[in-house]
Amino acid sequence: MEERHVDEAASFIARVLDEPQEVTVQDLEDFLDWDDDEVLLLVAETGGGRFAGVAGVVYEDWNDTATIEWIGLIPELRGQSIGSEMLNRMIEWTRAQGGRKIYVDTGVEEVKALAFYEKNGFSREAVLRDWYGDGSDAVVLSRRVTEASAP
């Protein structure tokens, strides 16, 4: 991520992705300071270099899985395959790390997000009651990124 996009990315995550207000520039800088084997942070730009969106994924080598932390685009740029391209890069990166599955959670009321993940090969695994706060449930989805090993 280029330094010029750090402020925009932190603001975007907090505002558009409805993350807690404590998502700060320092959080993103800390995320970027992790070992390259543990995190991937993608920033999408328009052809003119304007910030378009952000995606971040964390890899856990102890269980060979990754978890998508953030993925989102500026609303007027949605529907142009940019999100799917970022998602595919995260899947390929997870596979390159030796990962077997990638996970994400989103709100049960986030119909468009659920449709996006399901269109991209994710399956619902669980509903976490009150995950985001009282009365705000999450759906956990996953996608296998490698062939399942035989027992």
Side-chain angles (χ1 to χ4, degrees):
M1 172 187 290
E2 294 183 25
E3 190 67 33
R4 64 191 170 107
H5 290 309
V6 172
D7 289 332
E8 290 173 295
S11 174
F12 178 79
I13 291 167
R15 180 178 38 83
V16 178
L17 299 182
D18 202 26
E19 289 286 329
Q21 290 303 314
E22 63 266 11
V23 176
T24 65
V25 169
Q26 185 62 52
D27 292 330
L28 285 181
E29 289 173 350
D30 291 347
F31 192 83
L32 290 170
D33 284 341
W34 287 11
D35 187 350
D36 287 343
D37 294 347
E38 296 174 332
V39 300
L40 175 67
L41 185 63
L42 300 172
V43 173
E45 293 182 337
T46 64
R50 183 178 143 234
F51 176 81
V54 64
V57 62
V58 176
Y59 180 72
E60 299 287 346
D61 62 359
W62 70 271
N63 67 351
D64 300 325
T65 66
T67 302
I68 297 170
E69 295 292 322
W70 310 292
I71 184 171
L73 294 172
I74 300 294
E76 62 267 19
L77 298 175
R78 294 179 185 157
Q80 300 178 25
S81 299
I82 299 168
S84 293
E85 289 175 28
M86 287 196 301
L87 184 58
N88 287 332
R89 291 213 31 216
M90 290 189 288
I91 290 166
E92 290 302 317
W93 178 83
T94 299
R95 184 179 294 123
Q97 302 309 308
R100 59 187 176 81
K101 283 183 102 172
I102 188 167
Y103 289 89
V104 66
D105 66 84
T106 191
V108 295
E109 72 286 347
E110 298 294 335
V111 176
K112 289 181 181 180
L114 291 167
F116 168 76
Y117 289 115
E118 290 172 338
K119 179 184 95 176
N120 283 283
F122 282 72
S123 300
R124 297 178 192 211
E125 288 213 1
V127 173
L128 304 174
R129 302 283 179 225
D130 299 325
W131 184 250
Y132 302 119
D134 288 339
S136 185
D137 301 341
V139 176
V140 177
L141 302 102
S142 73
R143 177 177 164 178
R144 183 164 281 285
V145 299
T146 59
E147 295 296 320
S149 58

